């Protein structure tokens, strides 16, 4: 806040002047890079979070409780956050969806991370996350969330890691004492892969939520067998025609759900979020040639046909990125010249000076990108 003193002059508070002076002295790193060494939870500008609890489920999943610093503005159930973790001296950023209620009393976040064999950050968190660990955090983002006002009847459908955003929705609805009907339909391959199993059963028993778990590779181990079907949906939510549905899972499962909803004429009621990218189009041989110029770094590299983010990393660069699947837009950079093809849609674009996502665009011939 700026004070007005006699004569109409504005007086900058002492604390703000001190912070401004400290920022100037700390340039180019900023004050927070120094406070990180002494008191990591005290920040002037940066949003960070401290891990306060760690719970591992099975051999591939870990749930972290995080206490954000004062800059945190909260989230809406279903949104994602970008989390930065230092691995071998290099800071890496990935996207995760909070799985707790958006009404958490103390403002803490809960993230469940499923480790993938080649996942650098997920493996690091699974193997080495401990209470006290500090991570970088970005404000929540994403259009996949429960609307206001809440729909009366809601169907939540997920598979695998897709459970996190829809579990956040379920917990939020429970905290709000939502009086409409809610069904939760989730798929795993085998029962040992199910996370938050006790929580789901507790919610089903205490709150009357229809929870159905399907096992796709272990007949008789779940409430239903096999992959998603119209029969499973009818069992979970016989009132589905009047409900809004929220879906998160792998591409193949989501396509199956979409087909059923479209077949029933309910496609407009289905709201989706993918947690993995659709299969990328393979570039043709006549597109893999030329030079990729990372003009902000003064580096040229032969075009390998990979997406620009991977080509930049292969060239020794570290452009900011998050999801690596075209969702979070954190890797967006300006393409000065040349043509790129979207690996997900197959669309080519050669308009100069346009922002593009590095993680899903491949160069076609010579390209100049501001990285």
């Amino acid at each position: 806040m700026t004070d007005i003193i006699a004569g109409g002059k504005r007086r900058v508070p002492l604390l703000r002047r001190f912070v401004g002076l400290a920022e100037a002295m700390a340039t180019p790193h900023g004050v927070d890079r120094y406070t990180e060494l002494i008191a990591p939870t005290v920040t002037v500008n940066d949003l960070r979070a401290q891990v306060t609890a760690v719970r591992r489920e099975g051999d591939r999943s870990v749930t972290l409780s995080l206490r954000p610093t004062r800059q945190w503005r909260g989230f809406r159930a279903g949104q994602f956050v970008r989390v930065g973790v230092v691995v071998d001296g290099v800071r890496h950023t990935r996207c995760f969806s909070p799985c707790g209620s958006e009404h958490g009393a103390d403002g803490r976040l809960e993230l469940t991370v499923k480790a993938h064999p080649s996942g650098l950050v997920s493996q690091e968190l699974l193997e080495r996350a401990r209470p006290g660990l500090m991570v970088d955090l970005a404000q929540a983002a994403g259009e996949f969330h429960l609307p206001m006002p809440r729909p009366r009847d809601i169907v939540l459908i997920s598979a695998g890691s897709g459970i996190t955003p829809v579990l956040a929705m379920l917990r939020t609805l429970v905290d709000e004492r939502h009086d409409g009907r809610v069904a939760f339909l989730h798929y795993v391959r085998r029962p040992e892969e199910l996370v938050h199993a006790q929580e789901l059963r507790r919610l089903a028993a205490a709150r009357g939520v229809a929870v159905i778990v399907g096992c796709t590779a272990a007949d008789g181990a779940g409430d239903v067998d096999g992959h998603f079907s119209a029969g499973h949906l009818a069992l979970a939510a016989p009132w589905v025609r009047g409900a809004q549905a929220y879906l998160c899972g792998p591409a193949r499962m989501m396509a199956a759900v979409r087909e059923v909803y479209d077949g029933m004429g309910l496609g407009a009621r289905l709201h989706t979020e993918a947690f993995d990218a659709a299969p990328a189009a393979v570039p043709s041989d006549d597109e893999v040639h030329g030079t990729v110029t990372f003009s902000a770094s003064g580096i040229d590299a032969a075009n390998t046909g990979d997406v620009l983010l991977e080509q930049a990393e292969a060239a020794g660069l570290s452009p900011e990125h998050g999801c690596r699947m075209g969702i979070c837009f954190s890797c967006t950079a300006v393409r000065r010249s040349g043509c790129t093809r979207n690996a997900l849609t197959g669309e080519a674009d050669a308009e100069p000076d346009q922002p593009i996502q590095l993680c899903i665009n491949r160069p076609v011939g010579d390209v100049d990108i501001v990285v």
Side-chain angles (χ1 to χ4, degrees):
M1 179 180 296
T2 301
D3 300 329
I4 307 296
I5 61 177
K9 295 182 179 179
R10 296 182 180 276
R11 182 175 60 193
V12 179
L14 181 61
L15 178 59
R16 182 177 296 180
R17 283 189 287 172
F18 173 77
V19 170
L21 177 62
E23 286 280 1
M25 294 176 64
T27 299
H29 301 294
V31 170
D32 289 334
R33 283 302 159 214
Y34 294 93
T35 63
E36 185 177 20
L37 303 175
I38 304 169
T41 59
V42 178
T43 64
V44 175
N45 300 307
D46 290 356
L47 171 59
R48 298 183 194 139
Q50 185 176 47
V51 175
T52 58
V54 178
R55 184 179 77 252
R56 292 178 172 80
E57 292 188 75
D59 58 359
R60 295 184 60 190
S61 296
V62 60
T63 295
L64 310 175
S65 292
L66 302 174
R67 182 172 56 217
T69 53
R70 62 180 178 82
Q71 295 86 355
W72 176 240
R73 297 197 295 265
F75 72 103
R76 301 180 71 177
Q79 289 187 307
F80 65 84
V81 295
R82 293 200 300 273
V83 176
V85 179
V86 176
V87 182
D88 296 331
V90 178
R91 196 174 302 273
H92 300 270
T93 303
R94 296 291 185 274
C95 294
F96 301 101
S97 292
C99 59
S101 168
E102 67 181 53
H103 304 300
D106 55 3
R108 297 194 187 198
L109 280 176
E110 184 175 319
L111 303 178
T112 293
V113 178
K114 182 179 180 180
H116 297 276
S118 59
L120 188 67
V121 172
S122 62
Q123 287 287 352
E124 175 73 13
L125 293 174
L126 174 67
E127 296 172 4
R128 283 181 273 278
R130 298 287 186 276
L133 172 70
M134 292 298 301
V135 299
D136 288 344
L137 189 65
Q139 300 291 353
E143 298 302 317
F144 182 70
H145 55 73
L146 288 173
M148 290 295 288
R150 310 298 194 205
R152 175 167 175 77
D153 296 333
I154 297 174
V155 178
L156 305 171
I157 308 172
S158 60
S161 303
I163 191 174
T164 54
V166 292
L167 181 57
M169 294 179 178
L170 176 60
R171 286 171 157 172
T172 297
L173 292 169
V174 169
D175 279 355
E176 294 174 351
R177 300 185 181 277
H178 182 70
D179 60 1
R181 291 173 291 194
V182 180
F184 189 99
L185 185 55
H186 180 66
Y187 290 86
V188 292
R189 291 192 307 157
R190 297 179 176 82
E192 59 268 27
E193 297 175 1
L194 177 63
V195 295
H196 301 286
Q198 293 184 355
E199 170 81 352
L200 290 175
R201 298 306 178 196
R202 184 187 68 79
L203 293 173
R207 300 294 184 182
V209 178
V211 174
I212 290 182
V213 175
C215 290
T216 61
D219 286 352
D223 301 312
V224 294
D225 295 332
H227 295 276
F228 174 85
S229 69
H232 294 175
L233 181 60
L235 178 64
W239 34 264
V240 64
R241 290 194 172 276
Q244 296 292 322
Y246 299 86
L247 164 68
C248 184
R252 182 175 299 179
M253 176 262 195
M254 294 181 66
V257 177
R258 170 64 68 185
E259 183 177 356
V260 168
Y261 266 78
D262 286 344
M264 294 191 300
L266 300 177
R269 292 179 172 270
L270 183 63
H271 313 276
T272 64
E273 174 91 310
F275 69 77
D276 62 356
V282 177
S284 59
D285 291 341
D286 60 352
E287 294 181 347
V288 185
H289 63 86
T291 300
V292 179
T293 299
F294 300 102
S295 50
S297 307
I299 294 177
D300 292 341
N303 178 10
T304 64
D306 292 325
V307 295
L308 282 162
L309 177 59
E310 293 180 4
Q311 295 204 43
E313 292 174 336
L317 302 175
S318 302
E320 183 178 354
H321 63 275
C323 64
R324 302 181 79 95
M325 63 180 73
I327 296 175
C328 71
F329 291 87
S330 58
C331 65
T332 300
V334 173
R335 180 195 57 229
R336 278 182 170 167
S337 62
C339 178
T340 56
R341 186 178 299 283
N342 187 306
L344 302 182
T345 66
E347 295 177 352
D349 182 18
E351 187 174 350
D353 297 322
Q354 291 300 305
I356 62 170
Q357 293 170 271
L358 301 179
C359 69
I360 57 170
N361 277 283
R362 306 179 192 278
V364 179
D366 295 334
V367 166
D368 183 336
I369 189 83
V370 184
V371 170

